[in-house]
Amino acid sequence: MFRTPFARATCAALLALAAVTASAQDNAKVLRMVPQTDLKILDPIWTTAFVTRDHGYMVYDTLFGVDVTGKPQPQMVDKYSASADAKVWNFTLRKGLVFHDGKPVTAADVVASINRWGKRDSLGQRMLAVMDKLEAVGDNAFRMTFKQPFGLVLEALSKPSGSPAFIMPKRVADTPADKQIDDYTGSGPYVFQKDQFRPGEKVVYLKHKGYVPRTDTPSGTAGGKHVYVDRVEWIILKDAQTQSNAITSGEVDMLSWMPPEHYSTLRTNPKLETVNPTFAGSYYLHLNHHIPPFDNPKIAKAAVLAVNQEALLRGQMVFRDLYRTCASIYPCGSPLATDKTGWFTGKPNFEEAKRLLKEAGYDGTPIVLMHPADFTLLNKLPPMMAQLLQQAGFKVDMQSMDWPTLLMRRAKKDPADKGGWNAFMTGWGGSDTLNPMFFAPLTGNGEKGWFGWNKDDKLEELKGEFAATTDPAARKKLAAQIQERALETGLFAPLGETNNLSVIRRGVVSGVLLAPVNVFWNIKKN
Amino acid sequence: MPFFLIRRIAATLPVLVIVALIVFLMLRLAPGDPAAAILGDNASSEAMKNVRTQLGLEQSIPVQFFQWSARLLSGDLGESYFLKQSVTGLIAQRIEPTLSLAALTLVVTVLIAVPLGVLAAWRHGGWLDRALMGFSVLGFSIPAFVIGYVLIWAVSLKLGWLPVQGYARLEQGLLPWLRHLILPAVTLSIIYVALIARVTRAAVAEALTEDYVRTARAKGISEARVLVRHALVNAAVPIVTVIGIGIALLIGGVVVTETVFAIPGLGQLTVDAVLSRDYPLIQAITLFFSFLYVLINLLVDLSYLLLDPRIRY
C-alpha cells in the first residue's frame, strides 16, 4: 500500500503523533463536561450569568455554603458567633486555606472581597447599607458590626446564586466593582487555566493541589470539596443534537444541562444515566406594574388567574418526568415553601378573571406579551400563555423577538405601544428563589426595583422584617406572608417547576452532588 | 497589470468604509442591549445603565462612530465587550478552523466536481450525464444539517470511525486534524460538488462544440487529452469564477456546519457576537469578511490572465 519510503515514513510519523497525543491525554483523569452555555465573562461578581457562577464555584471558595436542605454551613469559616441583638458578628477562618499562587488566605482578603461583592449584589448592598464596620481582627479573623440588627449575614455570605460572595486575593478584590477582574487566582478546588481558555470551544481547570477540603460530608455547596480528577474540561457544544451525539459516542462524559427534547433518547440509552444535580427551577410570568393595564391590581390578578401550570409545563417540557406544578413562589419542598398561596392554585379560573376585568373596567387595549423566539428553554410558553390570557378576556399582542432584544426592551418604562411591554416569561434557578431576599423580582420599591417596577410598601415592610430577624420560626411565618402578599397583588405568577437533569456516562462518572447550583467536586471518573 | 492592481486595491477602500458605516449604523439602530446580555437576569436598570456608560453606549451615535473610526485608523479594532480580549486575537484564534474546513472542502470539491462535470459534458444527454446531474440536484437540495447528522449517525455513532464533534488544531497533529474535519468537509462538499459540477458540465459541453475541439479530434488526439487540454482549459474561466464564489461562501457561510460539528470557527464567532450584541466583535468580523471577499475577487480576476491570454486589464 505504501510503496515509497516517503509514504511509509509519513504514515509512521502520523501514527506516532496520534499515539503521543492519545497517551498524553490518557495519563491524567480528565472529566469532559458540557456546560449549560458558553462561558464568556470570567468575573463572577460582575455578572449573574449562571455559567459564570458555576465557573466561580470551580475557582473560588465561599465563607459559607448551603447544605442540601438550603441551610447555611461554614465553609472557609471555622468558627463564628453573633451577638444576641444580631449587631456584632465575629468570624475565624479555618487553617490551611491557600490561594492558587500558594499564598495564605487572610482576613484582609476576605474584607476586600466582601466589600467588592457587596457593591454589586442586591443582598450584599442591603447588608453593607446597614453595616457600621467590616474589619480584619488579625490574620485569620474578621468582624462585622451593624448599625441595626441584621439577621441575614449567613444567608448573604452563603447565597448560592446570583452573585455568590466568592473570596479573592486582596490585590484582585481591590479592583473597582464596576471593572472586570483579569487575575483569576482563587482558593477554590480547581485552578483556571487562562492560557488554555478558548471562548466558544473549551475551558480548562486543573485540580488545586493545595486545597484542603473540610472534613464534613459534602452537601450542597457546603462540606468537603474533594476533587478526584486531575483536570476538568468544559467543552462548549451549543447544538442540542451535537450534545446528545457527543455523550452517546463517549466523547464527553457529562452534560450538565440535558436538552429536554432529547430526554426520550438519552434516558433509554443503557450507556447513559440521567441524574438530578440541582434543585428544581421555576418559570414565572412577570407583569409590568408601572404602566396600564397591570398598574391596576385587579387586572394583574386577572392575568395571574389565567395561568394553567400543567398545560404550560407540558407544552414546554413535553415529558412528565421533567416538570411538576407548584403554586408556591419558593421551590416546593425547600425550607420556606408553604401552601399558603391564597387564591392562587396554578389552575385557571377564567370566570373569575373575566369578572375582575369587568369590575376593573379593562378597555380591551391589547397586552404586549414578549416572546423570545430564539430561547428554546422557554420559547414555547408565550404562545400558550397568550391563548390562556385570551380565554380570560384579554386581548393579546404577542411580539416575537430574540432574547437580547427582550432583555433590552424589558428595561423600558414607556407605554407598550411606544416600545414598552406588559408581560414576559422567564425561568429562575431554584437557588434564586429559595429566600425572599434572593429573589430579584420580589420587590415593591417601585422604580428602584426589578423590571415591572411593582410599588408595594407592605411587601417592602415584610421584607425588612424578614431581614432583621434570625429566628427561623419568625422567618418562616414572614416568608409565608410575603408569598401571600405577592400573589394577592398579582406581582407575578409562578408557572411551575422543572427538573434540570444532567446526563452522565453510566459506570464511568459517579458522585454528582445534589446542590442549589451545578458543582463539580466529589465527581469520580473511572 | 500593476495599474490594474493599484486600481483594484484603491477601489477596495471605499467598499470597506461603506461596509463599516452600514454595519455600525445597523447595530446601533437594531434592538438589543449589550449591557443586558452582559449582566444577566438579576441585573437592575441602574447596573445596566452603568455598564452602558462604561462601554460608551450612552454617547451619541456620531461620537461613537468617530471614536471607533479613530481607533480603527490607528490599527486598533477594539476589545470584545464580553471576553475582554482584543477582537484581532479572537479572530486569529477562530480563523484556523474556518480556513482549514474551507480548504479541505475546496480540495475535496474540486477533485470530485471537476472530473464529474467533464464526464457529464463528455456523455452529454446520456445516462451518465443524467445520473450525475440528478445527483447534483439532490446534493444541492438537501440542507447541510441533514447531511451532517446522517453522516454522524452512520460514520461516527454506528461505525465509530470518526469523532462526532470538535476540532483538533494542526499543532495537535495532522491525523487528529484530518479526523475531525473529514465529516464536516464531506458535508459541505456535497453541496459544492453539485454547484461546481453543473458549471463545469455546462462550460465543457459548450467548449466541446467548438471548432478547435473538432480539429483536435480530427488530428487523432486522444479523447482524454481533448477533454483536459483543449475543452477543460478553455472552459476554465467560469469554473474558476464559481470556485472563487464558492470559497467566499464557504468562509462566511459555514455556520450550520460549524454548529452541527461544534467547530469553533469564525461562523460560530459571528453568530455568538450577534446574539450577544458584541458590537466591536461584529464590526471587526464584518470588516474582515469584506476584506476577504474583495481579496478573493481580486485573485479570481488575476487568475483569468493566466487561464485566458486574450483577457487584458
Side-chain angles (χ1 to χ4, degrees):
Chain A
M1 188 177 174
F2 302 108
R3 289 180 185 169
T4 66
F6 176 75
R8 279 195 292 271
T10 307
C11 188
L14 287 174
L15 288 172
L17 198 59
V20 167
T21 312
S23 68
Q25 286 175 352
D26 289 346
N27 286 339
K29 274 200 173 173
V30 183
L31 178 75
R32 293 183 181 88
M33 194 279 298
V34 180
Q36 182 195 351
T37 50
D38 187 10
L39 177 68
K40 289 179 177 169
I41 296 169
L42 299 173
D43 184 346
I45 304 299
W46 212 72
T47 180
T48 58
F50 286 176
V51 72
T52 305
R53 174 202 66 197
D54 293 349
H55 157 80
Y57 276 105
M58 299 290 280
V59 178
Y60 304 99
D61 213 346
T62 51
L63 295 165
F64 288 81
V66 288
D67 64 20
V68 78
T69 68
K71 192 178 169 195
Q73 302 289 354
Q75 185 51 238
M76 295 172 82
V77 162
D78 183 21
K79 288 176 185 154
Y80 70 98
S81 63
S83 63
D85 62 359
K87 281 188 170 176
V88 181
W89 294 73
N90 283 296
F91 305 87
T92 309
L93 297 174
R94 66 187 171 93
K95 287 179 184 162
L97 298 174
V98 286
F99 286 112
H100 299 150
D101 57 9
K103 292 182 180 152
V105 179
T106 67
D109 299 312
V110 172
V111 168
S113 297
I114 292 175
N115 274 326
R116 182 167 188 267
W117 161 79
K119 286 188 182 111
R120 290 195 74 89
D121 180 72
S122 55
L123 187 51
Q125 286 167 358
R126 188 179 271 260
M127 187 170 88
L128 291 190
V130 292
M131 192 183 278
D132 187 31
K133 200 186 278 181
L134 170 62
E135 58 189 332
V137 189
D139 280 351
N140 288 317
F142 64 99
R143 180 182 298 141
M144 290 177 180
T145 312
F146 291 92
K147 292 178 256 185
Q148 60 191 65
F150 188 74
L152 287 171
V153 171
L154 302 187
E155 282 73 11
L157 297 179
S158 65
K159 187 173 176 259
S161 191
S163 303
F166 291 122
I167 302 304
M168 303 172 175
K170 185 175 183 304
R171 66 168 192 279
V172 180
D174 281 342
T175 308
D178 58 0
K179 190 175 172 235
Q180 287 190 55
I181 58 172
D182 54 13
D183 175 347
Y184 309 106
T185 308
S187 66
Y190 292 96
V191 185
F192 172 64
Q193 301 299 293
K194 191 178 175 183
D195 58 331
Q196 295 180 53
F197 175 46
R198 290 189 188 280
E201 184 180 354
K202 191 192 276 189
V203 192
V204 177
Y205 304 92
L206 297 184
K207 178 181 180 175
H208 176 198
K209 289 182 178 154
Y211 187 79
V212 180
R214 293 185 71 88
T215 52
D216 330 34
T217 308
S219 176
T221 59
K225 296 180 177 177
H226 297 275
V227 174
Y228 300 110
V229 292
D230 302 301
R231 177 182 169 101
V232 174
E233 290 180 1
W234 287 13
I235 310 291
I236 313 298
L237 301 178
K238 286 164 191 153
D239 179 62
Q241 182 64 55
T242 308
Q243 291 179 6
S244 173
N245 291 339
I247 193 141
T248 303
S249 68
E251 286 174 36
V252 298
D253 306 307
M254 180 175 181
L255 305 181
S256 79
W257 194 291
M258 183 202 65
E261 60 268 42
H262 289 279
Y263 178 58
S264 60
T265 315
L266 295 171
R267 74 170 171 173
T268 52
N269 186 330
K271 292 180 180 170
L272 304 176
E273 191 179 342
T274 53
V275 290
N276 201 350
T278 59
F279 302 168
S282 316
Y283 286 121
Y284 278 80
L285 169 70
H286 295 285
L287 306 174
N288 187 350
H289 298 261
H290 184 64
I291 56 167
F294 295 132
D295 57 343
N296 183 332
K298 278 187 183 169
I299 298 180
K301 194 172 162 182
V304 175
L305 278 165
V307 165
N308 182 341
Q309 288 193 342
E310 175 65 32
L312 288 162
L313 290 167
R314 191 174 61 241
Q316 178 65 46
M317 301 303 290
V318 182
F319 300 100
R320 193 66 188 84
D321 301 357
L322 299 180
Y323 68 87
R324 65 166 181 257
T325 58
C326 170
S328 170
I329 67 168
Y330 312 112
C332 280
S334 70
L336 295 178
T338 162
D339 56 6
K340 290 182 180 171
T341 55
W343 51 265
F344 180 74
T345 60
K347 292 174 184 167
N349 186 344
F350 298 127
E351 292 312 310
E352 177 64 5
K354 281 177 184 163
R355 191 188 66 76
L356 282 171
L357 286 183
K358 195 173 175 187
E359 206 175 291
Y362 170 61
D363 63 0
T365 306
I367 295 162
V368 172
L369 172 66
M370 296 194 286
H371 172 217
D374 64 324
F375 200 161
T376 54
L377 286 176
L378 56 88
N379 63 2
K380 297 170 197 77
L381 291 171
M384 291 184 282
M385 193 68 231
Q387 183 62 37
L388 291 168
L389 286 167
Q390 278 165 3
Q391 281 181 258
F394 286 96
K395 278 191 181 167
V396 183
D397 175 13
M398 190 183 75
Q399 297 185 8
S400 293
M401 58 196 78
D402 69 350
W403 182 242
T405 303
L406 188 151
L407 290 178
M408 181 211 67
R409 191 160 168 188
R410 75 175 181 181
K412 291 195 170 197
K413 294 176 182 170
D414 305 324
D417 58 353
K418 291 189 171 58
W421 60 279
N422 296 118
F424 74 96
M425 304 157 96
T426 190
W428 295 90
S431 52
D432 295 307
T433 58
L434 272 176
N435 181 309
M437 309 308 289
F438 294 175
F439 193 18
L442 193 55
T443 52
N445 55 347
E447 295 198 45
K448 287 184 181 169
W450 202 72
F451 311 99
W453 308 286
N454 177 49
K455 183 86 179 78
D456 184 352
D457 295 338
K458 173 75 178 164
L459 182 64
E460 284 299 299
E461 192 184 308
L462 289 168
K463 283 177 69 181
E465 285 178 44
F466 186 92
T469 183
T470 53
D471 176 26
R475 274 192 185 170
K476 180 117 180 139
K477 196 176 161 191
L478 283 162
Q481 288 175 332
I482 289 170
Q483 170 169 292
E484 282 180 291
R485 181 71 189 173
L487 292 171
E488 175 59 32
T489 55
L491 170 58
F492 46 52
L495 306 179
E497 296 184 346
T498 59
N499 294 323
N500 307 317
L501 299 182
S502 291
V503 187
I504 55 175
R505 290 170 65 200
R506 190 185 294 276
V508 176
V509 175
S510 59
V512 178
L513 286 173
L514 175 63
V517 297
N518 287 96
V519 296
F520 301 103
W521 51 82
N522 202 57
I523 294 180
K524 292 179 181 170
K525 184 181 174 189
N526 292 333
Chain B
M1 173 84 169
F3 178 69
F4 166 73
L5 266 179
I6 293 165
R7 198 157 46 94
R8 284 299 303 265
I9 291 166
T12 303
L13 293 174
V15 172
L16 292 179
V17 170
I18 291 167
V19 167
L21 183 64
I22 291 173
V23 170
F24 189 91
L25 287 175
M26 278 174 65
L27 286 176
R28 295 316 190 275
L29 297 176
D33 187 349
I38 288 169
L39 289 172
D41 229 9
N42 279 318
S44 65
S45 306
E46 194 185 343
M48 278 169 56
K49 195 179 173 194
N50 287 341
V51 170
R52 287 182 58 81
T53 306
Q54 279 174 41
L55 299 177
L57 298 171
E58 294 285 296
Q59 292 170 322
S60 67
I61 291 176
V63 171
Q64 288 182 48
F65 184 71
F66 177 75
Q67 288 176 340
W68 177 68
S69 307
R71 279 201 305 272
L72 190 65
L73 288 174
S74 66
D76 177 12
L77 284 169
E79 193 180 61
S80 158
Y81 287 163
F82 290 82
L83 301 166
K84 305 310 283 179
Q85 295 179 25
S86 78
V87 294
T88 320
L90 286 168
I91 291 172
Q93 204 178 77
R94 296 298 191 93
I95 201 167
E96 186 198 307
T98 297
L99 286 185
S100 297
L101 179 56
L104 192 63
T105 303
L106 190 69
V107 169
V108 173
T109 301
V110 171
L111 287 179
I112 296 172
V114 175
L116 281 186
V118 173
L119 275 178
W122 184 47
R123 288 287 177 251
H124 193 263
W127 66 267
L128 186 63
D129 180 26
R130 285 200 294 274
L132 292 173
M133 289 308 104
F135 162 78
S136 73
V137 169
L138 201 65
F140 213 68
S141 309
I142 303 174
F145 71 90
V146 174
I147 299 169
Y149 285 135
V150 169
L151 285 174
I152 288 171
W153 176 81
V155 180
S156 303
L157 295 177
K158 288 293 164 194
L159 299 170
W161 289 349
L162 293 169
V164 300
Q165 54 80 34
Y167 172 74
R169 286 175 190 272
L170 271 168
E171 66 196 32
Q172 292 171 260
L174 195 60
L175 203 58
W177 176 83
L178 205 56
R179 276 172 53 78
H180 281 87
L181 278 182
I182 287 175
L183 287 188
V186 168
T187 302
L188 281 169
S189 297
I190 290 174
I191 296 162
Y192 286 101
V193 162
L195 174 71
I196 294 170
R198 287 184 79 85
V199 173
T200 307
R201 171 186 174 268
V204 173
E206 191 185 335
L208 286 174
T209 62
E210 297 289 338
D211 289 344
Y212 56 80
V213 170
R214 195 183 310 118
T215 307
R217 281 177 172 152
K219 284 162 71 181
I221 294 172
S222 72
E223 195 61 12
R225 197 173 165 84
V226 167
L227 280 174
V228 177
R229 292 296 299 274
H230 294 265
L232 183 58
V233 168
N234 282 291
V237 168
I239 298 170
V240 168
T241 306
V242 82
I243 289 173
I245 295 166
I247 297 170
L249 289 173
L250 265 173
I251 291 171
V254 294
V255 177
V256 173
T257 312
E258 285 184 3
T259 304
V260 168
F261 291 94
I263 296 171
L266 278 174
Q268 278 285 320
L269 187 68
T270 312
V271 172
D272 287 351
V274 170
L275 289 178
S276 55
R277 308 294 194 265
D278 199 338
Y279 296 161
L281 196 49
I282 302 169
Q283 286 157 192
I285 293 171
T286 314
L287 275 183
F288 173 77
F289 278 136
S290 309
F291 177 74
L292 211 60
Y293 288 165
V294 171
L295 185 71
I296 289 168
N297 271 325
L298 180 64
L299 292 175
V300 169
D301 283 355
L302 290 177
S303 72
Y304 294 165
L305 298 176
L306 301 174
L307 295 169
D308 190 345
R310 290 168 298 178
I311 296 175
R312 286 284 174 271
Y313 293 112

